[in-house]
Amino acid sequence: MEKDISIFSTILIIVTIVILGGLTAFILLKNEKDVATTNITTYDENPFIDGQPIMGDDKAPITLVEFGDYKCPTCKKWGETILPKLSKDFIDSGKAKFLYVNFPINGKESTLSAIAAESVYKNSPKQYWIFHEALFNAQSKDLTTEQILKISSKIDGIKGKVLEQDIIHQKTASEIDKDMELVSKFDVQETPTIIINNIKIKDPFDYVLIKKIIEKELKDIDEYE
Ligand code: CA
């Protein structure tokens, strides 16, 4: 009889352990799923990228879009910390292309810089990314027309006179309007905002999540082909 009780107790303990283990695994998996869905927003389509500056191979299967502002310090930080990782892991190898869309939200200097960047992209596309980086590096200064022209004069290949006229007459303002259409279509609220294909990320500095999404998108494309 005592032996029966001891066997019964042992079985009871094992069953309890199995149930608790299963429950823990279920809770952990559920939490992971909850985190994943609250950190992203999925749209029906990718942002329309025609007419936007592209870094990397324009035929790369993954499209990364940054909505940024030249006067936004967090955008500068993103460009210095996350973008180099993306370049090394996905852009340099032709797996992803990177695009920058203007969302000027910090006043006149933001708009002026965006208009200037669009002008450089239109007139000297090869110099665009150099100018783009130079604007971010100078963001703590007053980005007046004079200052922007000074920055551009240090970059070979940018036509200063053309840029000056474009800024004065706001000739590339329609490009900013196009960018703002994307801002509203993808309900972009802050800078920087990052969209991977059709997936908007809540935390643009969460590189673990960004990498996971890109790898999943690449795997889906592989399976489809
Ligand atoms: Ca644009």
Side-chain angles (χ1 to χ4, degrees):
M1 184 66 184
E2 264 183 29
K3 203 182 168 196
D4 280 355
I5 290 172
S6 119
I7 288 172
F8 179 72
S9 306
T10 312
I11 289 171
L12 197 67
I13 290 167
I14 291 171
V15 168
T16 310
I17 290 171
V18 169
I19 289 173
L20 283 178
L23 209 62
T24 312
F26 173 77
I27 290 167
L28 284 177
L29 277 174
K30 192 179 174 293
N31 277 349
E32 193 180 307
K33 201 171 166 258
D34 286 348
V35 167
T37 45
T38 51
N39 281 338
I40 59 168
T41 310
T42 307
Y43 292 87
D44 290 341
E45 53 190 340
N46 294 9
F48 184 67
I49 59 169
D50 260 22
Q52 302 293 358
I54 296 177
M55 181 191 286
D57 183 350
D58 61 0
K59 289 182 183 66
I62 304 291
T63 303
L64 305 164
V65 178
E66 176 190 359
F67 290 82
D69 178 330
Y70 289 110
K71 287 295 280 185
C72 148
T74 319
C75 299
K76 182 173 185 279
K77 194 180 158 206
W78 189 89
E80 289 166 352
T81 55
I82 304 296
L83 186 57
K85 288 186 195 168
L86 285 168
S87 294
K88 186 177 154 277
D89 294 344
F90 303 106
I91 301 170
D92 294 350
S93 54
K95 287 176 185 156
K97 54 184 171 295
F98 172 73
L99 292 93
Y100 182 84
V101 173
N102 292 291
F103 183 21
I105 49 169
N106 290 302
K108 206 177 157 194
E109 291 175 39
S110 295
T111 307
L112 215 56
S113 306
I115 282 176
E118 292 285 1
S119 165
V120 169
Y121 176 58
K122 184 183 70 176
N123 298 302
S124 335
K126 282 186 182 150
Q127 277 70 33
Y128 172 79
W129 292 108
I130 304 165
F131 184 65
H132 171 89
E133 203 183 328
L135 280 178
F136 272 119
N137 287 336
Q139 73 172 194
S140 60
K141 295 175 185 156
D142 290 338
L143 290 178
T144 56
T145 303
E146 214 173 37
Q147 183 64 45
I148 291 171
L149 291 173
K150 198 173 150 195
I151 294 165
S152 74
S153 71
K154 290 179 188 144
I155 301 168
D156 282 345
I158 296 181
K159 299 160 195 122
K161 282 272 178 289
V162 178
L163 178 60
E164 189 177 7
Q165 287 304 306
D166 278 4
I167 297 174
I168 292 169
H169 301 289
Q170 306 219 329
K171 281 191 185 164
T172 52
S174 61
E175 291 302 320
I176 314 295
D177 294 342
K178 270 191 217 164
D179 290 2
M180 291 307 287
E181 278 172 31
L182 285 177
V183 164
S184 106
K185 191 169 178 193
F186 289 88
D187 191 30
V188 175
Q189 304 280 348
E190 56 192 0
T191 58
T193 288
I194 305 300
I195 298 185
I196 304 167
N197 284 349
N198 61 334
I199 303 162
K200 190 168 80 181
I201 313 291
K202 198 171 179 192
D203 176 5
F205 289 90
D206 186 350
Y207 192 66
V208 173
L209 178 66
I210 291 175
K211 204 173 168 198
K212 211 161 130 186
I213 291 171
I214 297 176
E215 278 164 356
K216 188 181 175 297
E217 291 286 296
L218 284 168
K219 202 171 152 252
D220 288 352
I221 292 163
D222 258 6
E223 277 167 9
Y224 183 75
E225 274 167 359

